[in-house]
Amino acid sequence: KNYGFAEGYNQALKHIGHEYTVLLNSDVEVTPGWLDAPVAAMDTDKTIAGVQPKIRALRNKEYFEYAGAAGGYMDRYGYPYCRGRVLHVVEKDAGQYDTPADLLWATGACLFVQTAVYKEVGGLDAGFFAHQEEIDMCWRLRSRGYRLVCTPSSVVYHVGGATLNVESPRKTFLNFRNNLTMLYKNLPEKDLHHVMRMRFWLDYVAAFKSLLLDRNWGEFRAVIRGRKAYKAWRADFAEDRRRIQASRIDRTDPEVADLLPRASYSILWQYYV
């Protein structure tokens, strides 16, 4: 059965009792010593629940790869970006991110996790099927006080888009539906309504840009369908939201609860304006 990226790993990890597990895409090429730095980081600090290596593009090895680069962050409205990749612009790796860093999220293309902690937080959300499920899980990990880091001395190469092309309307649908669901589940109460109001307008701007400027009817429909799908199943995640908010290590201090908070700015405003 095709459980999707998320539940496929959940099913597999039921059979794993080792201390660490690597979630590794099938289109990743590893390099000598790639295991050493991530394992050493988790051995040294048990608050580190997840680690990613530096990820470069297999087809253009001097550049970072879109899905993870040198570690993930998030702007105030829930749009993810990376050290080495903002929106669709990918940087050449000139050593500018060769220092280990704490992250908001680590890519599922190559993600080292403490197996017990993965199971403790419920693993990847099976409802997501694929896309942004690792960001959702990383947010849950951080809310419980765990850290996520990038160890750039470990390098792997990723094809990217081997399952769903970056321009696939199916990919766009999953990204919008799952991103909104992730925000609903994880945003602190004080931020939820404001962020969701802004996302309503920003998402429709994105949809009409695809239609009017790019002449891409498939992308337009995918954004609209993603928002409708989120609205249709949002109530199914109400209990998840309650449980996640209750599990925060210090719900009176959002800086502590989120450990490394979302950026205070909009990445879209910074990029386009």
Side-chain angles (χ1 to χ4, degrees), residues 3 5-24 49 108 111-124 137 141:
Y3 288 100
F5 185 96
E7 184 61 12
Y9 274 123
N10 292 341
Q11 292 291 327
L13 265 74
K14 289 179 180 179
H15 306 284
I16 292 177
H18 294 75
E19 185 175 8
Y20 305 137
T21 301
V22 188
L23 313 187
L24 186 68
L111 175 58
F112 291 72
V113 293
Q114 291 190 41
T115 309
V117 175
Y118 178 100
K119 295 175 181 178
E120 173 192 326
V121 301
L124 300 168
M137 183 179 73
L141 288 167

Side-chain angles (χ1 to χ4, degrees), residues 199-211 213 223 268:
R199 280 299 300 269
F200 174 87
W201 295 110
L202 290 170
D203 290 353
Y204 277 101
V205 167
F208 281 100
K209 172 187 175 295
S210 295
L211 181 64
L213 298 183
V223 175
L268 299 180

Side-chain angles (χ1 to χ4, degrees), residues 27 59 65-67 85 87-90 131 158-176 210 216 218-219 222-223:
D27 58 347
R59 295 189 176 113
E65 204 280 312
Y66 178 89
R85 189 272 294 173
L87 299 182
H88 292 290
V89 176
V90 179
H131 295 296
H158 184 210
V159 173
T163 304
L164 281 176
N165 184 278
V166 69
E167 297 178 353
S168 163
R170 174 66 174 167
K171 192 184 196 90
T172 300
F173 165 78
L174 290 170
N175 272 321
F176 274 82
S210 295
N216 192 326
E219 286 287 292
V223 175

